[in-house]
């Protein structure tokens, strides 16, 4: 049985607009979507869960495949009575979104793939992720958070944004983060799946993202029929927090297509 996920569920449940489901990245939690929840909940239902191992959701040590995260989301939405939805994810959350589309495409009305990439992990990448999992279990989250903060958000990001991102990273369970890293090391290749996407799709990326560069987003955009591409200036790996107005404008344009 899937663990009970903690989640935000805001907005008018009776709205005729398609609900929006937001999937956070690693090593974050549902609060990374605060600007989007605030912007879109006045007009539609917005659901933002903490993934297992993150935020306030239960920690399940070991190895958590992307397929398990997707199954958790489906179970949560079943419990909430949400049959169809627009689905957005950033970084690892974007890979979980792709896995959701692989498992239950009939439920997904639109996709947002933010600062993510679809290829399977390389052997070197597998070793790196497993080594990082070992490091987090050994050292905890703070040394890693200090090291990568200004790759997650640009050095010129607003200090409040950087502080929020740092808090999320240091509050994450090392066991949950390690389990997700080991699962991502074994993820499938979603590139062929993207060529079969039939719903409105937004690909968005920060202009200065080092983890998932603009070239990755351009390749996804080229692969997904009819997709839109938005490159967000003056942002790195988390444009939804670094430049929320621009991110929200792109997301709103996608939702209008529904």
């Amino acid at each position: 049985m899937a663990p009970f996920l903690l989640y935000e569920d805001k907005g008018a449940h009776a709205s005729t607009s398609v609900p929006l489901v937001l999937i956070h990245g690693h090593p974050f939690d549902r609060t990374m979507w605060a600007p989007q929840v605030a912007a879109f909940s006045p007009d539609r239902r917005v659901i933002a869960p903490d993934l297992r191992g993150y935020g306030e959701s239960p920690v399940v040590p070991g190895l958590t495949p992307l397929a398990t995260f997707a199954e958790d989301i489906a179970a949560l939405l079943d419990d909430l009575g949400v049959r169809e939805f627009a689905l957005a994810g950033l970084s690892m959350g974007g890979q979980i979104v792709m896995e959701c589309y692989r498992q239950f495409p009939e439920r997904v009305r639109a996709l947002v793939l933010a600062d993510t990439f679809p290829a399977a992990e390389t052997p070197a990448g597998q070793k790196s992720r497993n080594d990082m999992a070992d490091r987090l279990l050994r050292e905890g989250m703070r040394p890693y958070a200090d090291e990568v903060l200004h790759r997650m958000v640009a050095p010129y990001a607003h200090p409040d944004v950087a502080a929020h991102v740092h808090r999320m990273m240091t509050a994450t369970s090392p066991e949950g983060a390690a389990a997700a890293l080991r699962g991502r090391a074994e993820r499938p290749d979603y590139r062929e799946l993207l060529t079969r996407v039939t719903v409105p799709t937004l690909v968005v990326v920060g202009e200065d993202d080092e983890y998932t560069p603009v070239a990755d987003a351009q390749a996804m955009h080229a692969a997904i029929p009819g997709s839109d591409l938005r490159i967000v200036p003056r942002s790195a790996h988390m444009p939804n927090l670094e430049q929320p107005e621009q991110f929200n404008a792109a997301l709103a344009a996608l939702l209008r297509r529904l």
Side-chain angles (χ1 to χ4, degrees), residues 29-256:
D29 58 49
R30 68 184 190 268
T31 67
M32 67 160 275
W33 294 113
Q36 288 68 52
V37 173
F40 292 97
S41 59
D43 299 315
R44 71 180 64 240
R45 189 175 184 181
V46 182
I47 299 163
D50 280 336
L51 299 169
R52 69 162 73 193
Y54 295 89
E56 297 180 272
S57 286
V59 175
V60 183
L63 186 154
T64 306
L66 296 182
T68 298
F69 286 124
E71 291 159 6
D72 289 349
I73 292 162
L76 172 64
L77 295 174
D78 286 344
D79 288 345
L80 296 177
V82 176
R83 174 62 188 168
E84 295 185 336
F85 41 87
L87 187 58
L90 183 143
S91 192
M92 179 181 77
Q95 293 171 336
I96 295 169
V97 163
M98 292 181 243
E99 177 62 26
C100 289
Y101 193 78
R102 187 189 70 80
Q103 289 191 25
F104 40 89
E106 71 284 352
R107 300 182 67 172
V108 179
R109 294 282 304 279
L111 291 174
V112 179
L113 300 172
D115 300 81
T116 192
F117 61 99
E121 194 57 272
T122 63
Q126 290 177 332
K127 183 179 186 305
S128 176
R129 290 195 188 278
N130 282 297
D131 288 348
M132 179 59 72
D134 292 339
R135 176 188 171 188
L136 296 183
L137 293 174
R138 184 174 62 250
E139 299 179 1
M141 297 300 296
R142 182 169 293 275
Y144 168 77
D146 292 346
E147 178 181 305
V148 304
L149 175 61
H150 287 300
R151 294 181 67 195
M152 295 294 188
V153 297
Y156 51 75
H158 192 284
D160 289 348
V161 172
H164 179 192
V165 172
H166 193 264
R167 282 195 304 271
M168 287 191 292
M169 290 193 287
T170 55
T172 295
S173 158
E175 291 80 8
L181 283 167
R182 298 192 200 284
R184 288 177 79 192
E186 300 181 5
R187 69 181 179 274
D189 192 325
Y190 296 109
R191 286 176 292 185
E192 192 277 330
L193 173 72
L194 294 184
T195 67
R196 296 185 278 110
V197 169
T198 59
V199 298
T201 300
L202 170 66
V203 178
V204 59
V205 65
E207 182 180 44
D208 295 328
D209 192 343
E210 296 181 23
Y211 287 111
T212 54
V214 169
D216 290 347
Q218 291 170 328
M220 287 194 297
H221 168 55
I224 302 170
S227 63
D228 294 328
L229 174 63
R230 178 65 180 270
I231 300 168
V232 181
R234 292 194 59 76
S235 63
H237 194 54
M238 304 189 71
N240 70 300
L241 283 173
E242 296 172 87
Q243 299 292 341
E245 295 84 3
Q246 295 185 53
F247 187 96
N248 291 350
L251 178 52
L254 174 76
L255 294 174
R256 284 194 295 270

